[in-house]
Protein backbone atom coordinates (compact mmCIF):
# COMPACT_ATOMS: atom_id res chain seq x y z
CA UNK A 1 0.00 0.00 0.00
CA UNK A 2 1.38 3.39 -0.97
CA UNK A 3 1.23 6.06 1.80
CA UNK A 4 -1.65 8.54 1.11
CA UNK A 5 0.60 11.56 1.65
CA UNK A 6 3.03 10.14 -0.93
CA UNK A 7 0.16 9.89 -3.43
CA UNK A 8 -0.78 13.51 -2.68
CA UNK A 9 2.81 14.67 -3.14
CA UNK A 10 2.78 13.32 -6.69
CA UNK A 11 0.72 16.36 -7.70
CA UNK A 12 4.05 18.26 -7.63
CA UNK A 13 5.68 16.04 -10.22
CA UNK A 14 3.89 17.53 -13.20
CA UNK A 15 2.00 14.29 -13.99
CA UNK A 16 -1.73 14.65 -14.69
CA UNK A 17 -4.30 12.56 -12.74
CA UNK A 18 -4.21 9.69 -15.25
CA UNK A 19 -0.39 9.67 -15.16
CA UNK A 20 -0.36 9.62 -11.37
CA UNK A 21 -2.82 6.69 -11.35
CA UNK A 22 -0.70 4.80 -13.87
CA UNK A 23 2.43 5.49 -11.81
CA UNK A 24 0.82 4.24 -8.57
CA UNK A 25 -0.47 1.08 -10.29
CA UNK A 26 3.01 0.38 -11.65
CA UNK A 27 4.64 0.97 -8.26
CA UNK A 28 2.18 -1.40 -6.57
CA UNK A 29 2.02 -4.18 -9.11
CA UNK A 30 4.43 -3.63 -11.96
CA UNK A 31 7.29 -5.94 -12.76
CA UNK A 32 10.77 -4.57 -12.36
CA UNK A 33 12.71 -4.76 -15.63
CA UNK A 34 16.09 -6.47 -15.36
CA UNK A 35 19.02 -4.80 -17.04
CA UNK A 36 22.78 -5.08 -17.07
CA UNK A 37 25.56 -2.91 -18.43
CA UNK A 38 28.45 -4.78 -19.97
CA UNK A 39 32.10 -3.93 -19.69
CA UNK A 40 33.48 -3.09 -23.15
CA UNK A 41 37.02 -3.55 -21.83
CA UNK A 42 36.30 -7.20 -21.07
CA UNK A 43 33.80 -8.13 -23.75
CA UNK A 44 34.58 -7.00 -27.26
CA UNK A 45 31.20 -7.84 -28.78
CA UNK A 46 27.90 -6.49 -27.64
CA UNK A 47 25.79 -9.30 -26.15
CA UNK A 48 22.45 -10.15 -27.74
CA UNK A 49 19.30 -8.64 -26.34
CA UNK A 50 17.29 -5.46 -26.44
CA UNK A 51 19.45 -2.41 -25.81
CA UNK A 52 18.78 0.34 -23.29
CA UNK A 53 18.24 3.27 -25.67
CA UNK A 54 20.29 5.84 -23.72
CA UNK A 55 23.33 3.69 -23.00
CA UNK A 56 25.34 1.86 -25.66
CA UNK A 57 26.44 -0.84 -23.21
CA UNK A 58 23.13 -1.41 -21.42
CA UNK A 59 20.65 -4.11 -22.30
CA UNK A 60 17.53 -5.70 -20.88
CA UNK A 61 17.26 -9.35 -19.88
CA UNK A 62 14.03 -11.29 -20.39
CA UNK A 63 14.14 -12.51 -16.79
CA UNK A 64 16.27 -12.21 -13.66
CA UNK A 65 18.86 -15.01 -13.58
CA UNK A 66 20.74 -15.93 -10.39
CA UNK A 67 23.67 -13.67 -11.11
CA UNK A 68 25.71 -15.27 -8.32
CA UNK A 69 25.75 -18.49 -10.35
CA UNK A 70 27.26 -16.84 -13.41
CA UNK A 71 31.09 -16.79 -13.31
CA UNK A 72 31.09 -13.86 -15.76
CA UNK A 73 29.29 -11.74 -13.16
CA UNK A 74 32.24 -12.32 -10.78
CA UNK A 75 34.69 -11.57 -13.58
CA UNK A 76 33.36 -8.01 -14.03
CA UNK A 77 32.05 -8.69 -17.52
CA UNK A 78 28.83 -6.84 -16.66
CA UNK A 79 27.30 -4.79 -13.85
CA UNK A 80 23.68 -5.29 -12.82
CA UNK A 81 22.18 -1.82 -12.97
CA UNK A 82 18.65 -0.59 -13.38
CA UNK A 83 18.22 1.07 -16.75
CA UNK A 84 17.16 4.63 -15.79
CA UNK A 85 20.46 5.27 -13.94
CA UNK A 86 22.34 4.35 -17.11
CA UNK A 87 21.16 7.72 -18.49
CA UNK A 88 24.37 9.23 -17.10
CA UNK A 89 26.17 7.90 -20.13
CA UNK A 90 23.92 9.90 -22.45
CA UNK A 91 24.62 13.03 -20.43
CA UNK A 92 28.34 12.30 -20.50
CA UNK A 93 28.43 11.75 -24.25
CA UNK A 94 26.36 14.87 -24.89
CA UNK A 95 28.92 17.00 -23.07
CA UNK A 96 32.35 15.45 -23.49
CA UNK A 97 34.29 14.10 -26.43
CA UNK A 98 35.86 10.68 -26.75
CA UNK A 99 39.36 10.67 -25.25
CA UNK A 100 38.88 13.92 -23.30
CA UNK A 101 40.91 13.59 -20.11
CA UNK A 102 38.81 14.50 -17.10
CA UNK A 103 38.91 14.53 -13.34
CA UNK A 104 35.62 13.15 -12.14
CA UNK A 105 34.15 12.84 -8.67
CA UNK A 106 31.33 10.44 -7.90
CA UNK A 107 30.57 11.72 -4.42
CA UNK A 108 27.95 9.21 -3.21
CA UNK A 109 29.26 6.20 -5.02
CA UNK A 110 28.51 2.86 -3.30
CA UNK A 111 27.90 0.24 -4.51
CA UNK A 112 29.42 1.57 -7.72
CA UNK A 113 26.87 1.62 -10.55
CA UNK A 114 27.57 5.20 -11.60
CA UNK A 115 31.31 4.99 -10.88
CA UNK A 116 31.81 2.00 -13.17
CA UNK A 117 29.68 3.73 -15.81
CA UNK A 118 31.68 6.96 -15.57
CA UNK A 119 35.04 5.14 -15.50
CA UNK A 120 34.04 3.39 -18.74
CA UNK A 121 32.73 6.53 -20.45
CA UNK A 122 35.70 8.66 -19.40
CA UNK A 123 38.46 6.47 -20.81
CA UNK A 124 41.59 5.11 -19.20
CA UNK A 125 43.53 8.35 -18.87
CA UNK A 126 40.82 10.13 -16.92
CA UNK A 127 40.55 9.73 -13.17
CA UNK A 128 37.35 8.86 -11.37
CA UNK A 129 37.35 9.44 -7.63
CA UNK A 130 34.64 7.13 -6.32
CA UNK A 131 33.76 8.28 -2.82
CA UNK A 132 31.50 6.71 -0.22
CA UNK A 133 31.26 8.17 3.27
CA UNK A 134 30.01 4.99 4.96
CA UNK A 135 33.06 2.82 5.47
CA UNK A 136 31.42 -0.62 5.11
CA UNK A 137 29.75 0.49 1.89
CA UNK A 138 33.04 1.94 0.65
CA UNK A 139 34.63 -1.52 1.00
CA UNK A 140 31.93 -3.02 -1.23
CA UNK A 141 32.49 -0.16 -3.66
CA UNK A 142 36.22 -0.97 -3.77
CA UNK A 143 35.41 -4.65 -4.48
CA UNK A 144 33.23 -3.63 -7.40
CA UNK A 145 35.84 -1.23 -8.75
CA UNK A 146 38.54 -3.94 -8.65
CA UNK A 147 36.17 -6.36 -10.36
CA UNK A 148 35.38 -3.86 -13.14
CA UNK A 149 39.15 -3.72 -13.63
CA UNK A 150 39.85 -0.51 -15.57
CA UNK A 151 42.59 0.89 -13.34
CA UNK A 152 41.43 4.53 -13.64
CA UNK A 153 39.56 4.83 -10.33
CA UNK A 154 40.55 5.92 -6.82
CA UNK A 155 38.14 4.82 -4.09
CA UNK A 156 37.92 7.20 -1.13
CA UNK A 157 35.87 7.21 2.05
CA UNK A 158 35.46 10.84 3.02
CA UNK A 159 32.80 13.18 4.21
CA UNK A 160 31.66 15.56 1.43
CA UNK A 161 33.16 18.48 3.40
CA UNK A 162 36.67 17.00 3.01
CA UNK A 163 36.60 17.72 -0.72
CA UNK A 164 37.23 21.38 0.08
CA UNK A 165 40.90 20.29 0.10
CA UNK A 166 40.61 19.90 -3.70
CA UNK A 167 39.32 23.33 -4.58
CA UNK A 168 38.38 23.82 -8.27
CA UNK A 169 39.86 20.42 -9.00
CA UNK A 170 37.12 18.38 -10.68
CA UNK A 171 35.75 18.83 -14.21
CA UNK A 172 32.67 16.78 -13.42
CA UNK A 173 30.98 15.92 -10.14
CA UNK A 174 28.13 13.44 -9.82
CA UNK A 175 26.02 13.73 -6.68
CA UNK A 176 23.73 10.71 -6.66
CA UNK A 177 22.28 11.79 -3.37
CA UNK A 178 20.92 9.65 -0.54
CA UNK A 179 17.17 10.22 -0.88
CA UNK A 180 13.73 9.08 0.25
CA UNK A 181 13.78 6.38 -2.45
CA UNK A 182 10.24 6.74 -3.84
CA UNK A 183 11.45 5.49 -7.21
CA UNK A 184 12.44 2.19 -5.58
CA UNK A 185 9.03 1.45 -4.03
CA UNK A 186 8.31 -1.43 -6.38
CA UNK A 187 11.82 -2.87 -6.31
CA UNK A 188 12.28 -2.56 -2.59
CA UNK A 189 9.12 -2.61 -0.39
CA UNK A 190 11.25 -1.55 2.59
CA UNK A 191 11.63 1.86 0.97
CA UNK A 192 7.81 2.24 1.20
CA UNK A 193 7.81 1.30 4.89
CA UNK A 194 10.52 3.85 5.70
CA UNK A 195 8.93 6.71 3.77
CA UNK A 196 7.31 9.66 5.54
CA UNK A 197 6.90 13.39 4.78
CA UNK A 198 9.43 14.02 7.60
CA UNK A 199 11.93 11.70 5.91
CA UNK A 200 11.52 13.70 2.69
CA UNK A 201 12.30 16.95 4.55
CA UNK A 202 15.27 15.38 6.25
CA UNK A 203 16.65 14.12 2.94
CA UNK A 204 16.11 17.48 1.22
CA UNK A 205 18.11 19.25 3.95
CA UNK A 206 20.90 16.70 3.81
CA UNK A 207 21.09 16.96 0.02
CA UNK A 208 21.54 20.75 0.22
CA UNK A 209 24.25 20.30 2.78
CA UNK A 210 26.06 17.78 0.57
CA UNK A 211 25.78 20.03 -2.49
CA UNK A 212 27.04 23.08 -0.64
CA UNK A 213 29.99 21.16 0.83
CA UNK A 214 31.22 19.79 -2.47
CA UNK A 215 30.56 22.86 -4.63
CA UNK A 216 34.01 24.41 -4.14
CA UNK A 217 35.69 21.26 -5.51
CA UNK A 218 34.08 21.82 -8.93
CA UNK A 219 36.15 23.97 -11.28
CA UNK A 220 34.58 27.08 -12.81
CA UNK A 221 32.91 25.93 -16.03
CA UNK A 222 32.68 22.36 -14.64
CA UNK A 223 29.57 20.18 -14.67
CA UNK A 224 27.49 18.90 -11.77
CA UNK A 225 25.06 16.03 -12.31
CA UNK A 226 22.60 15.93 -9.45
CA UNK A 227 20.42 12.82 -9.23
CA UNK A 228 18.02 11.03 -6.91
CA UNK A 229 15.78 8.00 -7.17
CA UNK A 230 12.77 9.83 -5.79
CA UNK A 231 9.81 11.72 -7.28
CA UNK A 232 8.95 14.59 -4.92
CA UNK A 233 9.83 18.20 -5.85
CA UNK A 234 11.42 18.97 -2.47
CA UNK A 235 14.40 16.72 -3.12
CA UNK A 236 14.48 17.41 -6.85
CA UNK A 237 13.46 20.66 -8.59
CA UNK A 238 13.39 22.64 -5.34
CA UNK A 239 16.95 21.65 -4.50
CA UNK A 240 18.08 22.56 -8.02
CA UNK A 241 16.32 25.93 -7.66
CA UNK A 242 18.05 26.42 -4.30
CA UNK A 243 21.43 25.70 -5.91
CA UNK A 244 20.77 28.16 -8.74
CA UNK A 245 19.73 30.84 -6.25
CA UNK A 246 22.74 30.42 -4.01
CA UNK A 247 25.58 29.63 -6.41
CA UNK A 248 26.69 31.07 -9.69
CA UNK A 249 25.55 28.45 -12.18
CA UNK A 250 23.15 27.66 -15.01
CA UNK A 251 21.91 24.74 -17.09
CA UNK A 252 23.34 22.92 -20.11
CA UNK A 253 21.48 21.92 -23.25
CA UNK A 254 21.02 18.16 -23.64
CA UNK A 255 18.92 16.52 -26.38
CA UNK A 256 16.82 13.43 -25.76
CA UNK A 257 14.66 11.30 -28.04
CA UNK A 258 10.94 11.70 -27.22
CA UNK A 259 10.50 7.97 -27.93
CA UNK A 260 12.50 7.19 -24.78
CA UNK A 261 9.56 8.25 -22.57
CA UNK A 262 11.65 10.54 -20.34
CA UNK A 263 9.72 13.54 -19.01
CA UNK A 264 11.76 16.71 -19.41
CA UNK A 265 11.46 19.86 -17.37
CA UNK A 266 13.39 23.04 -16.64
CA UNK A 267 14.40 25.00 -13.60
CA UNK A 268 14.90 28.70 -14.52
CA UNK A 269 18.38 30.12 -13.92
CA UNK A 270 17.87 33.88 -14.15
CA UNK A 271 19.45 35.17 -17.35
CA UNK A 272 21.32 31.91 -17.85
CA UNK A 273 20.41 28.67 -19.63
CA UNK A 274 17.59 27.00 -17.66
CA UNK A 275 18.66 23.80 -15.89
CA UNK A 276 17.28 20.78 -17.73
CA UNK A 277 15.78 18.12 -15.47
CA UNK A 278 14.93 14.59 -16.53
CA UNK A 279 12.29 12.47 -14.86
CA UNK A 280 12.00 8.74 -15.30
CA UNK A 281 8.56 7.42 -14.33
CA UNK A 282 8.38 3.62 -14.26
CA UNK A 283 4.99 3.55 -16.00
CA UNK A 284 6.46 5.48 -18.94
CA UNK A 285 10.04 4.18 -19.26
CA UNK A 286 11.53 0.71 -18.89
CA UNK A 287 13.38 1.43 -15.67
CA UNK A 288 12.94 2.55 -12.09
CA UNK A 289 12.07 6.04 -10.84
CA UNK A 290 14.94 8.45 -11.35
CA UNK A 291 15.54 12.19 -11.47
CA UNK A 292 18.55 14.09 -12.70
CA UNK A 293 19.61 17.64 -13.45
CA UNK A 294 22.67 18.94 -15.29
CA UNK A 295 24.24 22.16 -14.06
CA UNK A 296 27.26 24.14 -15.21
CA UNK A 297 29.26 26.22 -12.75
CA UNK A 298 29.86 29.72 -14.09
CA UNK A 299 33.23 30.37 -15.71
CA UNK A 300 35.69 32.28 -13.58
CA UNK A 301 39.20 32.37 -12.30
CA UNK A 302 40.42 28.92 -11.38
CA UNK A 303 42.38 28.66 -8.16
CA UNK A 304 44.65 25.69 -8.42
CA UNK A 305 46.82 26.06 -5.35
CA UNK A 306 46.01 23.00 -3.30
CA UNK A 307 46.20 22.59 0.44
CA UNK A 308 49.50 21.30 1.77
CA UNK A 309 49.82 17.57 1.10
CA UNK A 310 50.02 15.05 3.88
CA UNK A 311 53.04 12.81 3.71
CA UNK A 312 52.89 10.75 0.54
CA UNK A 313 52.57 6.98 0.67
CA UNK A 314 54.03 6.46 -2.80
CA UNK A 315 57.62 5.47 -3.56
CA UNK A 316 58.69 5.40 -7.19
CA UNK A 317 59.41 1.87 -8.40
CA UNK A 318 63.10 1.22 -9.03
CA UNK A 319 64.26 0.24 -12.51
CA UNK A 320 64.50 -3.33 -11.34
CA UNK A 321 61.00 -3.30 -9.89
CA UNK A 322 59.66 -1.79 -13.10
CA UNK A 323 61.39 -4.48 -15.13
CA UNK A 324 59.74 -7.17 -12.98
CA UNK A 325 56.28 -5.63 -13.35
CA UNK A 326 56.29 -4.77 -17.05
CA UNK A 327 55.75 -8.30 -18.37
CA UNK A 328 52.42 -8.48 -16.46
CA UNK A 329 50.89 -5.47 -18.22
CA UNK A 330 49.59 -5.55 -21.79
CA UNK A 331 50.84 -2.00 -22.47
CA UNK A 332 53.42 -1.25 -19.81
CA UNK A 333 54.57 1.83 -21.74
CA UNK A 334 51.39 3.59 -20.58
CA UNK A 335 51.88 2.66 -16.94
CA UNK A 336 53.57 4.29 -13.97
CA UNK A 337 54.70 1.87 -11.27
CA UNK A 338 55.00 2.67 -7.59
CA UNK A 339 55.43 0.94 -4.26
CA UNK A 340 53.09 1.51 -1.32
CA UNK A 341 54.57 -0.21 1.72
CA UNK A 342 55.73 -3.55 0.33
CA UNK A 343 53.06 -3.69 -2.40
CA UNK A 344 53.44 -2.69 -6.05
CA UNK A 345 50.79 -0.69 -7.91
CA UNK A 346 50.32 0.41 -11.51
CA UNK A 347 48.64 3.63 -12.72
CA UNK A 348 48.01 5.06 -16.13
CA UNK A 349 50.91 7.47 -16.58
CA UNK A 350 48.71 10.41 -17.55
CA UNK A 351 46.46 9.94 -14.54
CA UNK A 352 49.09 9.26 -11.90
CA UNK A 353 49.82 12.88 -10.83
CA UNK A 354 46.10 13.41 -10.21
CA UNK A 355 45.75 10.20 -8.19
CA UNK A 356 48.72 11.29 -6.14
CA UNK A 357 47.15 14.64 -5.37
CA UNK A 358 44.01 12.88 -4.19
CA UNK A 359 45.89 10.32 -2.13
CA UNK A 360 47.85 13.04 -0.34
CA UNK A 361 44.67 14.78 0.81
CA UNK A 362 41.94 12.21 1.23
CA UNK A 363 41.39 8.80 2.70
CA UNK A 364 42.06 6.46 -0.23
CA UNK A 365 41.01 2.82 0.18
CA UNK A 366 42.10 1.65 -3.22
CA UNK A 367 43.49 3.10 -6.45
CA UNK A 368 44.96 2.04 -9.79
CA UNK A 369 45.91 -1.62 -10.16
CA UNK A 370 47.21 -3.53 -7.17
CA UNK A 371 49.82 -5.80 -8.75
CA UNK A 372 51.27 -7.58 -5.69
CA UNK A 373 54.53 -8.08 -3.87
CA UNK A 374 57.96 -8.69 -5.40
CA UNK A 375 60.16 -11.41 -3.93
CA UNK A 376 63.67 -11.34 -5.37
CA UNK A 377 62.33 -9.78 -8.55
CA UNK A 378 59.44 -12.23 -8.90
CA UNK A 379 55.87 -10.98 -8.56
CA UNK A 380 53.37 -12.75 -6.34
CA UNK A 381 50.32 -11.38 -8.13
CA UNK A 382 47.27 -10.12 -6.24
CA UNK A 383 43.64 -10.65 -7.21
CA UNK A 384 43.04 -7.16 -8.71
CA UNK A 385 45.77 -7.80 -11.28
CA UNK A 386 43.92 -10.91 -12.51
CA UNK A 387 40.81 -8.78 -13.03
CA UNK A 388 42.66 -5.87 -14.65
CA UNK A 389 41.44 -5.62 -18.24
CA UNK A 390 44.96 -5.22 -19.63
CA UNK A 391 46.71 -8.03 -17.81
CA UNK A 392 49.32 -9.49 -20.19
CA UNK A 393 47.79 -12.88 -20.75
CA UNK A 394 51.09 -14.44 -21.78
CA UNK A 395 52.58 -13.62 -18.34
CA UNK A 396 51.34 -16.87 -16.78
CA UNK A 397 49.81 -20.17 -17.91
CA UNK A 398 46.02 -20.11 -18.17
CA UNK A 399 43.62 -22.71 -16.85
CA UNK A 400 40.26 -22.63 -18.60
CA UNK A 401 37.52 -24.10 -16.36
CA UNK A 402 34.02 -25.25 -17.27
CA UNK A 403 31.03 -23.77 -15.45
CA UNK A 404 30.87 -26.24 -12.55
CA UNK A 405 34.60 -26.10 -11.90
CA UNK A 406 34.59 -22.29 -12.21
CA UNK A 407 31.85 -22.04 -9.58
CA UNK A 408 33.87 -24.43 -7.41
CA UNK A 409 36.84 -22.11 -7.78
CA UNK A 410 34.71 -19.08 -6.84
CA UNK A 411 33.54 -20.93 -3.71
CA UNK A 412 37.22 -21.39 -2.89
CA UNK A 413 36.88 -25.13 -3.20
CA UNK A 414 39.63 -27.60 -4.02
CA UNK A 415 40.57 -27.67 -7.69
CA UNK A 416 42.40 -30.76 -9.02
CA UNK A 417 45.99 -30.20 -10.07
CA UNK A 418 45.78 -32.00 -13.41
CA UNK A 419 45.69 -29.62 -16.33
CA UNK A 420 47.45 -26.89 -14.36
CA UNK A 421 51.04 -25.84 -14.90
CA UNK A 422 53.43 -25.96 -11.95
CA UNK A 423 53.37 -22.62 -10.09
CA UNK A 424 50.96 -19.72 -10.68
CA UNK A 425 48.03 -20.11 -13.11
CA UNK A 426 45.37 -17.66 -14.25
CA UNK A 427 41.93 -19.23 -13.88
CA UNK A 428 39.59 -18.34 -16.75
CA UNK A 429 35.99 -19.01 -17.67
CA UNK A 430 35.04 -18.56 -21.34
CA UNK A 431 38.44 -16.94 -21.74
CA UNK A 432 37.79 -14.27 -19.09
CA UNK A 433 40.02 -14.23 -15.96
CA UNK A 434 38.49 -15.04 -12.56
CA UNK A 435 41.59 -15.10 -10.35
CA UNK A 436 44.77 -17.00 -9.47
CA UNK A 437 45.54 -20.57 -8.46
CA UNK A 438 48.91 -22.07 -7.59
CA UNK A 439 49.99 -25.62 -8.25
CA UNK A 440 52.64 -27.16 -6.04
CA UNK A 441 53.23 -30.74 -7.18
CA UNK A 442 49.93 -32.60 -6.78
CA UNK A 443 48.38 -29.93 -4.57
CA UNK A 444 46.69 -26.69 -5.56
CA UNK A 445 46.27 -23.51 -3.60
CA UNK A 446 43.06 -21.66 -4.49
CA UNK A 447 43.96 -17.96 -4.23
CA UNK A 448 40.47 -16.55 -4.75
CA UNK A 449 39.99 -13.93 -1.97
CA UNK A 450 38.19 -15.36 1.05
CA UNK A 451 35.99 -12.30 1.47
CA UNK A 452 34.69 -12.57 -2.11
CA UNK A 453 33.95 -16.30 -2.18
CA UNK A 454 30.39 -17.25 -3.08
CA UNK A 455 28.46 -18.91 -0.31
CA UNK A 456 25.13 -20.56 0.49
CA UNK A 457 24.39 -22.05 -2.89
N1 LIG B 1 25.70 6.12 -6.89
C1 LIG B 1 25.45 4.80 -6.34
C2 LIG B 1 25.33 3.81 -7.48
O1 LIG B 1 25.02 4.23 -8.61
O2 LIG B 1 25.62 2.63 -7.27
C3 LIG B 1 24.25 4.80 -5.42
C4 LIG B 1 24.37 5.84 -4.34
S1 LIG B 1 23.06 5.87 -3.16
C5 LIG B 1 21.75 6.56 -4.06
C6 LIG B 1 23.55 7.17 -2.10
C7 LIG B 1 24.82 6.94 -1.30
O3 LIG B 1 25.06 8.10 -0.49
C8 LIG B 1 24.76 5.75 -0.37
O4 LIG B 1 25.80 4.86 -0.66
C9 LIG B 1 24.92 6.37 1.01
O5 LIG B 1 25.69 5.56 1.89
C10 LIG B 1 25.63 7.67 0.75
N2 LIG B 1 25.40 8.68 1.80
C11 LIG B 1 24.59 8.61 2.87
N3 LIG B 1 24.68 9.72 3.62
C12 LIG B 1 25.57 10.53 3.01
C13 LIG B 1 26.08 11.82 3.31
N4 LIG B 1 25.70 12.50 4.37
N5 LIG B 1 26.99 12.34 2.45
C14 LIG B 1 27.37 11.67 1.36
N6 LIG B 1 26.91 10.44 1.03
C15 LIG B 1 26.02 9.88 1.83
Amino acid sequence: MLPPSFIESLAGTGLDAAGRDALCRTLEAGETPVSVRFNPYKLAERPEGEGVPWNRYGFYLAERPRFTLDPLFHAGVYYVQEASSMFLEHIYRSLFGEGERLRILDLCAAPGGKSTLLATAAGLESVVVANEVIRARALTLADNIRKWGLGNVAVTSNDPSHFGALEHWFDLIAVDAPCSGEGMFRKNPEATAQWSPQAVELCAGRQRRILSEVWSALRPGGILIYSTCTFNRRENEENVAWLVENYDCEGVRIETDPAWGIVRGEVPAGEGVPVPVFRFFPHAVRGEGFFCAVIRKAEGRVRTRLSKPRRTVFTEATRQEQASLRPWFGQPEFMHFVRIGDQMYGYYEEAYPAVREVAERLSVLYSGVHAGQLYHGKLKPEHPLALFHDLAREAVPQAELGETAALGYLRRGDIPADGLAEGMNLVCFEGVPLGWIKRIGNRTNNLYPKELRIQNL
Side-chain angles (χ1 to χ4, degrees):
M1 259 292 276
L2 297 171
S5 41
F6 162 71
I7 298 174
E8 274 166 36
S9 76
L10 288 178
T13 60
L15 286 177
D16 61 16
R20 298 199 296 269
D21 275 355
L23 173 61
C24 290
R25 262 182 276 123
T26 310
L27 290 178
E28 282 178 321
E31 276 205 15
T32 300
V34 184
S35 50
V36 298
R37 184 169 43 76
F38 74 92
N39 185 342
Y41 289 91
K42 295 204 176 184
L43 197 66
E45 264 180 52
R46 203 183 182 298
E48 288 194 4
E50 193 189 333
V52 173
W54 45 82
N55 187 308
R56 63 190 151 157
Y57 306 125
F59 64 104
Y60 294 101
L61 304 183
E63 53 192 36
R64 176 170 285 271
R66 284 186 70 185
F67 289 111
T68 320
L69 295 183
D70 179 7
L72 294 180
F73 168 72
H74 302 278
V77 166
Y78 58 86
Y79 190 97
V80 183
Q81 185 176 36
E82 73 80 23
S84 306
S85 320
M86 296 185 197
F87 186 63
L88 249 66
E89 197 212 28
H90 178 72
I91 298 175
Y92 188 95
R93 278 158 57 80
S94 305
L95 298 176
F96 304 107
E98 199 91 35
E100 215 170 316
R101 245 186 259 145
L102 300 181
R103 294 168 173 187
I104 299 172
L105 170 62
D106 185 5
L107 183 67
C108 311
K114 309 224 173 31
S115 300
T116 52
L117 182 155
L118 289 168
T120 309
L124 301 173
E125 293 187 342
S126 291
V127 179
V128 176
V129 176
N131 179 70
E132 168 58 45
V133 66
I134 299 175
R135 185 85 179 182
R137 290 177 61 79
L139 296 177
T140 306
L141 171 65
D143 285 340
N144 285 332
I145 294 300
R146 287 186 277 261
K147 188 159 98 173
W148 200 245
L150 302 200
N152 59 352
V153 181
V155 179
T156 58
S157 185
N158 282 88
D159 188 80
S161 60
H162 298 172
F163 285 87
L166 292 171
E167 193 181 11
H168 291 182
W169 203 83
F170 291 99
D171 302 297
L172 168 64
I173 297 183
V175 176
D176 190 29
C179 69
S180 59
E182 296 161 357
M184 293 292 153
F185 279 0
R186 95 175 139 167
K187 205 176 168 191
N188 174 8
E190 253 177 53
T192 324
Q194 282 165 9
W195 187 92
S196 69
Q198 294 76 10
V200 169
E201 285 310 309
L202 211 80
C203 286
R206 181 166 55 193
Q207 288 149 356
R208 289 180 187 192
R209 205 163 52 245
I210 292 173
L211 287 169
S212 66
E213 285 175 345
V214 82
W215 186 254
S216 69
L218 186 63
R219 74 160 166 80
I223 299 289
L224 174 83
I225 304 176
Y226 174 68
S227 59
T228 71
C229 60
T230 209
F231 300 120
N232 68 76
R233 288 184 70 82
R234 293 289 289 150
E235 297 176 67
N236 294 328
E237 284 87 347
E238 289 186 25
N239 272 353
V240 174
W242 171 85
L243 197 70
V244 168
E245 267 164 40
N246 289 281
Y247 297 90
D248 201 3
C249 57
E250 61 175 353
V252 202
R253 291 195 179 84
I254 299 212
E255 304 295 326
T256 49
D257 183 337
W260 294 350
I262 301 167
V263 176
R264 299 186 56 128
E266 275 182 4
V267 171
E271 304 282 283
V273 178
V275 177
V277 302
F278 304 90
R279 282 179 164 277
F280 293 67
F281 292 111
H283 66 284
V285 295
R286 255 177 102 187
E288 294 304 316
F290 184 62
F291 168 93
C292 68
V294 189
I295 296 146
R296 189 193 300 279
K297 189 172 189 170
E299 296 290 349
R301 199 163 70 85
V302 184
R303 285 188 295 272
T304 47
R305 212 147 58 98
L306 291 179
S307 61
K308 224 168 129 240
R310 294 196 311 231
R311 203 164 62 87
T312 185
V313 294
F314 299 109
T315 309
E316 293 296 310
T318 63
R319 270 168 189 273
Q320 232 173 12
E321 287 170 334
Q322 291 178 31
S324 304
L325 289 170
R326 268 202 199 98
W328 294 83
F329 287 78
Q331 294 173 285
E333 64 277 21
F334 294 130
M335 305 304 291
H336 188 103
F337 298 112
V338 301
R339 191 156 46 73
I340 303 179
D342 56 11
Q343 299 294 318
M344 305 308 301
Y345 283 76
Y347 296 89
Y348 283 100
E349 186 72 69
E350 298 293 340
Y352 174 68
V355 175
R356 201 184 149 120
E357 288 186 354
V358 172
E360 287 169 350
R361 285 162 185 85
L362 296 172
S363 169
V364 174
L365 298 187
Y366 184 76
S367 63
V369 188
H370 182 190
Q373 195 171 353
L374 288 168
Y375 293 94
H376 305 295
K378 196 163 181 268
L379 183 72
K380 178 177 175 284
E382 284 292 335
H383 186 64
L385 182 59
L387 294 200
F388 177 49
H389 75 102
D390 198 25
L391 167 73
R393 301 292 285 273
E394 60 282 8
V396 289
Q398 293 175 40
E400 172 70 28
L401 300 185
E403 188 171 301
T404 310
L407 287 171
Y409 171 76
L410 294 168
R411 285 190 196 107
R412 252 179 144 250
D414 288 332
I415 303 293
D418 41 299
L420 300 184
E422 186 66 18
M424 197 61 78
N425 290 255
L426 181 69
V427 175
C428 298
F429 172 73
E430 294 184 358
V432 186
L434 296 178
W436 305 111
I437 193 164
K438 192 171 183 183
R439 175 175 180 171
I440 311 141
N442 286 331
R443 284 190 306 113
T444 59
N445 195 0
N446 185 336
L447 297 172
Y448 195 69
K450 236 187 246 147
E451 61 283 8
L452 297 180
R453 74 185 185 280
I454 53 180
Q455 306 177 50
N456 307 328
L457 298 176

